[in-house]
Amino acid sequence: MLIPTEESRTLEDTAEIFLEDLVQRSLVQVSWRSHVGSIRSCRIHDLLREVAIQKAKEDNFVTICSKPPDNWMSVAKARRVAVHYSGCDELMKHANPNLRSLLCFERPLPNCSQQRLLKVLGDMQNYPSANPINFEYFDGLTHLRYCKLAGGGLINTTSFESFISGLKFVETLDFSAVHDVGELPEYIWNVKTLRHVKLPRYTSSGPSSSADLRTLQTLSGVKSRESWNAQLPKLPNLCNLVINVESSFSWDLFAKLLDTLKHLTSLELDGYQVPLEIVNMQRFPFYQHLQSLILCDMSPSVENKLSLQVGMFPIHITELTLWGLQFNVDPLSVLEKLCNLRWLCLWKQENQKMSCSAGGFKQLHELEFHRLGNLEEWEIKAGAMPILKQLTLQSCDKLGVPLGLQYLSNLKELKVIDCRKLKEHADEIRDICKHVPYILID
């Protein structure tokens, strides 16, 4: 194992400490950090990369194939292989029977059923292909720790269940880019090592009430289920949850589920007629820890207006998306008081006028408006959003040129997309925003 186990930290926390150490030593360059400061993606310098690849190849640590190799012996000895061309099937004919890791950046995935010691299998494409997945290709891979697949669905349900039932030690199961994967067999939820599960959005009902979920940290893409009423699943270590609460499901019951989550840092919730008690996060035990929140009302109604108050949102929230929720006040007048907020996205709000006060949104870096069809006026007072870097306005047809746009002195990127009225004033916007390096009006 590359990352040692420490009692006081999760493996993910330990790995991030190691990565930050490499950054401090200038061996790794950060290409993207989240708004809470964690590293989302990184790279290394070209020269260091060439040296690392050569050394890894010499030590049979990893081999990178961007084309059919001239010497198949390098593949036959490698314990880890990354493939960047579509000839993976031929590659597997020469692969080391002791292969531990296979990452494919081009499709299709090969038949890996003979690679019995494989621990890491990844289809690194992030979208489903037109072709369904043949799980017979992965039969017998009982040692898998990490499995990421993408495809158009299942060829055979029996082979899928056989594959899942063979996973004795899996830690990460990422099917988020598999279309129509259906329900996971009940067995998988009781695997003691399971840490991260990502499923296609809302195609699965998720774990049953009897599931053993003590090690689970990520649960994404599941729907609520009535059987949770019998015995609420305990998720003591859950950090990331993406869930859809169906209209037939009791919101009171779902609130009880949230009452069991003490370490949640990221929550995405889709529902119907989202009630005020769910929006008000202060009552839940994760209130002190939540950093990223997405709330989506799947049946937005002008009549269902919520009373918005700043205390509803966790005190450390840095990323916030509100989709379809309607409020009885200008949402910006309340949200601007969230002193740690760095990213805000509003979708389908019905307000006609909005305003940002002087001193509001002190830490905001990115702001996005999408499909605000009724918004006509937006005023930015001097001193509002002092460090805003990116502003996106999309499908806001009635919006005129925002008053005070010139006060966004640190703005680096302005995107205006499918905004009919703003497009008519493109020259005026460019004249006001001469200080902005990148402007897109489309």
Side-chain angles (χ1 to χ4, degrees):
M1 181 177 290
L2 297 177
I3 306 297
T5 302
E6 299 183 19
E7 289 186 6
S8 59
R9 296 192 185 99
T10 65
L11 287 173
E12 291 79 4
D13 289 340
T14 303
E16 188 160 355
I17 291 172
F18 287 178
L19 186 56
E20 289 286 0
D21 182 59
L22 293 173
V23 171
Q24 294 299 318
R25 295 168 183 263
S26 299
L27 294 172
V28 171
Q29 301 170 347
V30 178
S31 55
W32 179 31
R33 285 185 184 271
S34 71
H35 292 298
V36 297
S38 60
I39 298 173
R40 293 286 181 88
S41 62
C42 58
R43 59 181 182 267
I44 58 177
H45 191 278
D46 289 348
L47 293 178
L48 180 59
R49 178 179 180 273
E50 293 301 322
V51 172
I53 290 175
Q54 184 59 38
K55 184 62 176 175
K57 192 173 181 179
E58 291 174 1
D59 293 345
N60 297 323
F61 183 77
V62 64
T63 293
I64 298 176
C65 300
S66 55
K67 60 181 181 179
D70 297 327
N71 182 4
W72 289 101
M73 287 303 295
S74 62
V75 178
K77 294 180 180 179
R79 294 168 70 87
R80 299 166 186 86
V81 176
V83 186
H84 292 265
Y85 75 103
S86 58
C88 211
D89 271 324
E90 181 66 22
L91 201 67
M92 284 300 97
K93 295 177 182 178
H94 302 272
N96 185 350
N98 296 319
L99 188 69
R100 295 293 196 274
S101 175
L102 175 65
L103 300 179
C104 294
F105 293 85
E106 296 288 343
R107 293 194 172 108
L109 274 177
N111 189 330
C112 302
S113 58
Q114 300 304 312
Q115 306 298 330
R116 297 291 182 173
L117 300 180
L118 203 63
K119 291 185 176 181
V120 175
L121 174 64
D123 181 341
M124 307 313 291
Q125 303 289 334
N126 291 318
Y127 54 90
S129 68
N131 299 320
I133 299 174
N134 186 352
F135 280 92
E136 292 180 359
Y137 283 4
F138 317 120
D139 190 37
L141 302 183
T142 58
H143 294 280
L144 276 182
R145 264 61 168 181
Y146 176 93
C147 180
K148 181 180 185 296
L149 299 177
L154 310 179
I155 286 181
N156 186 294
T157 302
T158 302
S159 63
F160 172 62
E161 293 179 353
S162 175
F163 166 70
I164 295 295
S165 64
L167 300 177
K168 309 295 184 184
F169 311 103
V170 68
E171 297 177 1
T172 298
L173 199 59
D174 188 347
F175 288 167
S176 57
V178 179
H179 182 62
D180 290 335
V181 69
E183 294 289 333
L184 289 180
E186 194 61 37
Y187 157 81
I188 196 64
W189 299 108
N190 291 300
V191 174
K192 304 296 184 182
T193 55
L194 198 63
R195 303 166 72 86
H196 307 281
V197 177
K198 296 182 179 181
L199 301 172
R201 293 183 70 85
Y202 318 135
T203 60
S204 172
S205 295
S208 70
S209 57
S210 61
D212 186 348
L213 303 167
R214 287 170 291 179
T215 59
L216 200 64
Q217 296 180 35
T218 301
L219 180 59
S220 173
V222 296
K223 297 185 295 186
S224 59
R225 59 191 297 169
E226 295 289 352
S227 62
W228 288 11
N229 191 20
Q231 178 187 349
L232 287 171
K234 302 302 180 182
L235 303 156
N237 295 302
L238 195 68
C239 299
N240 306 287
L241 174 63
V242 180
I243 190 169
N244 173 252
V245 180
E246 298 177 306
S247 56
S248 60
F249 189 81
S250 165
W251 280 106
D252 291 337
L253 179 60
F254 183 71
K256 292 179 182 178
L257 170 62
L258 294 181
D259 276 333
T260 68
L261 306 178
K262 298 180 180 180
H263 302 289
L264 203 66
T265 59
S266 176
L267 170 64
E268 181 175 342
L269 169 63
D270 287 5
Y272 296 83
Q273 299 294 315
V274 178
L276 183 64
E277 55 267 27
I278 297 298
V279 177
N280 189 346
M281 299 285 167
Q282 195 165 8
R283 56 168 289 194
F284 299 118
F286 55 76
Y287 176 79
Q288 300 287 338
H289 308 286
L290 199 70
Q291 297 171 343
S292 177
L293 174 64
I294 299 175
L295 291 176
C296 302
D297 193 332
M298 303 306 293
S299 57
S301 170
V302 177
E303 291 76 24
N304 184 35
K305 288 189 176 181
L306 303 174
S307 178
L308 190 63
Q309 299 173 8
V310 70
M312 292 178 171
F313 299 98
I315 54 179
H316 295 300
I317 198 77
T318 60
E319 302 177 3
L320 177 63
T321 295
L322 300 176
W323 192 99
L325 279 76
Q326 305 304 322
F327 304 105
N328 59 2
V329 295
D330 171 7
L332 297 186
S333 66
V334 176
L335 299 177
E336 66 181 9
K337 297 180 177 65
L338 296 173
C339 58
N340 294 302
L341 195 63
R342 298 188 180 186
W343 189 81
L344 172 64
C345 182
L346 297 180
W347 285 73
K348 296 190 71 174
Q349 307 294 317
E350 297 296 331
N351 303 75
Q352 292 182 336
K353 298 180 180 181
M354 294 197 301
S355 176
C356 297
S357 305
F361 291 117
K362 291 183 178 180
Q363 297 296 324
L364 198 66
H365 286 68
E366 298 181 40
L367 176 62
E368 296 185 12
F369 291 166
H370 295 271
R371 298 173 65 185
L372 305 190
N374 286 344
L375 183 62
E376 298 176 1
E377 298 181 18
W378 178 32
E379 183 179 6
I380 304 167
K381 301 286 183 65
M385 300 182 286
I387 59 174
L388 189 71
K389 300 292 191 300
Q390 298 180 35
L391 173 61
T392 300
L393 306 172
Q394 184 170 6
S395 300
C396 303
D397 286 340
K398 297 181 180 179
L399 179 62
V401 178
L403 300 175
L405 198 57
Q406 68 275 13
Y407 295 135
L408 303 179
S409 57
N410 285 304
L411 196 64
K412 304 299 181 186
E413 183 177 293
L414 172 62
K415 294 181 179 179
V416 179
I417 303 169
D418 293 331
C419 298
R420 177 176 49 80
K421 199 169 181 179
L422 287 176
K423 194 173 181 179
E424 294 172 357
H425 295 83
D427 292 339
E428 181 182 350
I429 293 173
R430 289 192 175 94
D431 186 60
I432 294 173
C433 298
K434 290 180 179 178
H435 61 286
V436 181
Y438 178 79
I439 298 177
L440 171 66
I441 302 178
D442 187 10

